Short mmCIF file of all heavy atoms in Angstrom, two decimals:
data_model
loop_
_atom_site.label_atom_id
_atom_site.label_comp_id
_atom_site.label_asym_id
_atom_site.label_seq_id
_atom_site.Cartn_x
_atom_site.Cartn_y
_atom_site.Cartn_z
N SER A 721 104.61 66.63 32.65
CA SER A 721 103.94 65.74 31.69
C SER A 721 102.64 66.35 31.18
O SER A 721 102.28 66.18 30.01
CB SER A 721 103.67 64.38 32.33
OG SER A 721 102.82 64.52 33.47
N GLN A 722 101.93 67.08 32.06
CA GLN A 722 100.68 67.72 31.64
C GLN A 722 100.95 68.85 30.65
O GLN A 722 100.25 69.00 29.64
CB GLN A 722 99.94 68.24 32.87
CG GLN A 722 99.45 67.15 33.80
CD GLN A 722 98.95 67.67 35.13
OE1 GLN A 722 99.41 68.70 35.61
NE2 GLN A 722 98.02 66.97 35.73
N ALA A 723 101.97 69.66 30.95
CA ALA A 723 102.33 70.74 30.04
C ALA A 723 102.78 70.19 28.69
O ALA A 723 102.44 70.74 27.63
CB ALA A 723 103.43 71.59 30.66
N LEU A 724 103.52 69.08 28.71
CA LEU A 724 103.98 68.46 27.48
C LEU A 724 102.81 67.97 26.63
O LEU A 724 102.77 68.18 25.42
CB LEU A 724 104.92 67.31 27.81
CG LEU A 724 105.51 66.54 26.60
CD1 LEU A 724 106.35 67.48 25.75
CD2 LEU A 724 106.35 65.36 27.08
N LYS A 725 101.84 67.31 27.28
CA LYS A 725 100.67 66.81 26.55
C LYS A 725 99.86 67.95 25.95
O LYS A 725 99.35 67.85 24.83
CB LYS A 725 99.78 65.98 27.49
CG LYS A 725 100.37 64.63 27.88
CD LYS A 725 100.53 63.71 26.70
CE LYS A 725 101.02 62.33 27.13
NZ LYS A 725 101.26 61.44 25.98
N LEU A 726 99.72 69.07 26.68
CA LEU A 726 99.01 70.22 26.13
C LEU A 726 99.74 70.74 24.91
O LEU A 726 99.11 71.06 23.89
CB LEU A 726 98.88 71.31 27.20
CG LEU A 726 98.20 72.61 26.74
CD1 LEU A 726 96.79 72.33 26.24
CD2 LEU A 726 98.17 73.63 27.88
N GLY A 727 101.06 70.82 24.99
CA GLY A 727 101.83 71.26 23.83
C GLY A 727 101.64 70.34 22.64
O GLY A 727 101.52 70.81 21.49
N GLU A 728 101.60 69.03 22.88
CA GLU A 728 101.36 68.08 21.80
C GLU A 728 100.00 68.31 21.15
O GLU A 728 99.86 68.27 19.92
CB GLU A 728 101.44 66.65 22.34
CG GLU A 728 102.83 66.19 22.73
CD GLU A 728 102.81 64.78 23.31
OE1 GLU A 728 101.74 64.14 23.26
OE2 GLU A 728 103.86 64.32 23.80
N ALA A 729 98.99 68.54 22.00
CA ALA A 729 97.63 68.75 21.47
C ALA A 729 97.58 70.01 20.60
O ALA A 729 96.96 70.01 19.52
CB ALA A 729 96.65 68.87 22.63
N LEU A 730 98.23 71.09 21.05
CA LEU A 730 98.22 72.33 20.27
C LEU A 730 98.94 72.13 18.93
O LEU A 730 98.53 72.69 17.92
CB LEU A 730 98.89 73.45 21.07
CG LEU A 730 98.24 73.83 22.41
CD1 LEU A 730 98.97 75.00 23.05
CD2 LEU A 730 96.76 74.16 22.25
N ALA A 731 99.99 71.33 18.94
CA ALA A 731 100.77 71.12 17.72
C ALA A 731 100.10 70.16 16.75
O ALA A 731 100.42 70.16 15.55
CB ALA A 731 102.16 70.58 18.09
N ARG A 732 99.18 69.34 17.22
CA ARG A 732 98.58 68.29 16.39
C ARG A 732 97.27 68.71 15.74
O ARG A 732 96.51 67.89 15.27
CB ARG A 732 98.35 67.02 17.21
CG ARG A 732 99.65 66.33 17.62
CD ARG A 732 99.35 65.11 18.49
NE ARG A 732 98.50 64.17 17.79
CZ ARG A 732 97.82 63.18 18.38
NH1 ARG A 732 97.89 63.06 19.70
NH2 ARG A 732 97.08 62.35 17.68
N GLY A 733 96.96 70.00 15.76
CA GLY A 733 95.77 70.45 15.06
C GLY A 733 94.64 70.90 15.95
O GLY A 733 93.48 70.92 15.51
N GLU A 734 94.93 71.26 17.19
CA GLU A 734 93.89 71.79 18.08
C GLU A 734 93.26 73.02 17.42
O GLU A 734 93.94 73.99 17.07
CB GLU A 734 94.50 72.17 19.43
CG GLU A 734 93.67 73.10 20.29
CD GLU A 734 92.30 72.56 20.59
OE1 GLU A 734 92.16 71.35 20.83
OE2 GLU A 734 91.35 73.37 20.57
N PRO A 735 91.93 73.00 17.19
CA PRO A 735 91.28 74.08 16.43
C PRO A 735 91.36 75.45 17.11
O PRO A 735 91.29 76.47 16.43
CB PRO A 735 89.83 73.60 16.30
CG PRO A 735 89.66 72.60 17.39
CD PRO A 735 90.98 71.95 17.55
N ASN A 736 91.51 75.46 18.42
CA ASN A 736 91.57 76.74 19.14
C ASN A 736 92.96 76.97 19.75
O ASN A 736 93.10 77.59 20.80
CB ASN A 736 90.52 76.76 20.26
CG ASN A 736 89.11 76.71 19.71
OD1 ASN A 736 88.69 77.60 18.97
ND2 ASN A 736 88.38 75.65 20.04
N ALA A 737 93.98 76.46 19.06
CA ALA A 737 95.34 76.49 19.60
C ALA A 737 95.79 77.90 19.94
O ALA A 737 96.36 78.14 21.01
CB ALA A 737 96.31 75.84 18.61
#
Side-chain angles (χ1 to χ4, degrees):
S721 60
Q722 294 169 331
L724 180 62
K725 289 296 185 183
L726 178 58
E728 289 178 7
L730 299 183
R732 291 177 59 196
E734 163 57 39
N736 295 299

